[in-house]
Amino acid sequence: MSAARAQFDEAGRLRHLLTLEAMPPRLILELLDTAAALAAATGGKVKKLPLLRGRTVVNLFFEPSTRTRTSFELAASRLSAEVVNFDVAQSSTTKGETVLDTLRTLEAMHCDLFVVRHRENGTPEYLARHAGPGVAIVNAGDGNHAHPTQGLLDAYTIRHHKGPEFGRLRVAIVGDIAHSRVARSAIHVLTALGVGELRVCGPAALLPRDLGPAIAVSSDLDAILDGVDVVMMLRLQRERMRETEVPDAADYHARYGLDRRRLALARPDAIVMHPGPMNRGVEIASEVADGPQSVILDQVSNGLVVRMAVMARLVGAGNVAG
Ligand code: NCD
């Protein structure tokens, strides 16, 4: 809960984005509405808006990333910010500089917003607690703790396809829940928005025990998929497992992989989501990933406007909520 508090200033304004845990639903909806307004303003085209003119955004990624880093970079640049992609592998981090000294060094060059991904839970919160006045931290994924912009883009995508009445929706999240910050942020945002039913599914060893009574938990994928409106598939996060814990890929696919037969158990208009990167043939079959119910690439497109909305909210000029 401490990250939930650390992201607000004394006046209760959002100063950093660290987690969606305990995020007021009104604020979530404001961010989604701003993203929708930005999507309408840019008309799906590459058009620069001046909201972050004169601001500098630093991408500080201590873990690999394809879509999240690129998405933040493009989002910042479409808001007219200057963007620095800090190359950790080529930086003084490799000479033993602490992450806080790295932050202070970049702050001294008048950077305004830091997008931080780190393998350790709590690193973005730690930096937020030490950030100078006016400097904002956005968590782009910390350990298995949180990935708030992913949660927001997932909610945006669901709303876009299924409408604003989350109370009518049944959502299944399937895969390596235990190691997934994406699952945690999805659970927080969907709960805040009043989702009708939330079900999670995966091998017993990859299911956390602390999800609370409101969430149905099972290792029986066919049962979990029955009648759902949204299926969110997750990758096996091998990098967070010991060698002996990694399930056999073929075995895993047979029990937990989403293929066309299984998808037919969901509602006929169900959408299929995946945060990427996908492991085709493991958690998801290509026939589904590339099939008509897949909204996986929509998620990627929506990530851009959602991240624009977040950055505009934290360090943008004027009110962009309209
Ligand atoms: C995820 C992540 O890094 O948490 N990817 C992403 O940001 N879209 C999920 C994953 O790595 O499996």
Side-chain angles (χ1 to χ4, degrees):
M1 274 301 264
S2 72
R5 277 194 299 273
Q7 59 193 347
F8 293 97
D9 67 13
E10 282 102 67
R13 278 186 301 256
L14 191 70
R15 213 197 126 186
H16 309 284
L17 181 64
L18 304 175
T19 178
L20 299 178
E21 187 178 9
M23 178 77 83
R26 211 172 54 91
L27 179 50
I28 293 169
L29 291 172
E30 275 171 27
L31 288 168
L32 300 189
D33 289 344
T34 304
L38 288 164
T42 52
K45 297 196 187 69
V46 181
K47 191 170 145 195
K48 286 214 181 194
L49 299 171
L51 296 166
L52 257 64
R53 184 166 291 150
R55 301 290 196 185
T56 303
V57 172
V58 182
N59 268 326
L60 210 50
F61 279 62
F62 295 90
E63 263 194 350
S65 172
T66 302
R67 71 222 86 225
T68 306
R69 204 188 63 124
T70 313
S71 175
F72 271 107
E73 180 176 352
L74 287 174
S77 121
R78 287 182 193 173
L79 292 174
S80 310
E82 198 172 332
V83 189
V84 177
N85 281 311
F86 183 81
D87 188 346
V88 173
Q90 300 297 323
S91 75
S92 290
T93 304
T94 59
K95 300 182 189 170
E97 184 168 75
T98 66
V99 62
L100 186 54
D101 282 330
T102 304
L103 175 76
R104 295 232 158 95
T105 302
L106 294 161
E107 273 182 353
M109 295 185 227
H110 306 293
C111 297
D112 302 285
L113 186 143
F114 292 84
V115 181
V116 181
R117 170 170 284 193
H118 202 281
R119 61 189 292 276
E120 272 177 52
N121 292 12
T123 299
E125 178 189 346
Y126 170 75
L127 293 177
R129 289 185 184 281
H130 291 86
V135 170
I137 305 288
V138 176
N139 181 3
D142 60 332
N144 69 356
H145 170 241
H147 194 350
T149 57
Q150 181 73 43
L152 290 171
L153 79 86
D154 288 341
Y156 182 98
T157 304
I158 293 172
R159 186 173 79 160
H160 183 79
H161 286 277
K162 295 283 160 205
E165 287 175 48
F166 281 80
R168 291 192 306 112
L169 299 179
R170 292 184 185 145
V171 178
I173 307 178
V174 183
D176 178 4
I177 313 291
H179 297 105
S180 177
R181 52 198 179 205
V182 174
R184 268 176 199 74
S185 285
I187 289 169
H188 288 145
V189 75
L190 292 172
T191 305
L193 296 176
V195 71
E197 210 183 305
L198 201 46
R199 307 173 182 175
V200 305
C201 180
L206 299 178
L207 289 172
R209 302 189 202 313
D210 56 351
L211 291 173
I215 298 175
V217 180
S218 169
S219 288
D220 180 349
L221 181 54
D222 286 7
I224 283 281
L225 291 174
D226 182 37
V228 296
D229 302 276
V230 177
V231 192
M232 189 183 292
M233 301 305 297
L234 300 172
R235 180 178 69 91
L236 286 169
Q237 311 241 304
R238 291 158 203 278
E239 68 276 26
R240 297 192 219 294
M241 295 180 205
R242 279 189 295 268
E243 194 65 28
T244 51
E245 290 174 330
V246 179
D248 173 73
D251 226 37
Y252 184 86
H253 185 68
R255 291 196 58 189
Y256 301 103
L258 187 65
D259 56 15
R260 208 183 284 143
R261 179 196 72 77
R262 282 206 166 110
L263 182 55
L265 300 168
R267 281 179 56 95
D269 60 352
I271 53 168
V272 176
M273 304 174 71
H274 193 307
M278 285 189 277
N279 288 153
R280 289 169 181 262
V282 185
E283 75 275 12
I284 191 164
S286 284
E287 64 191 17
V288 171
D290 306 327
Q293 287 165 268
S294 169
V295 299
I296 295 169
L297 291 176
D298 280 5
Q299 288 174 270
V300 177
S301 308
N302 295 338
L304 201 54
V305 281
V306 164
R307 291 178 174 119
M308 287 168 77
V310 167
M311 291 192 282
R313 174 90 183 202
L314 295 176
V315 296
N319 178 14
V320 293

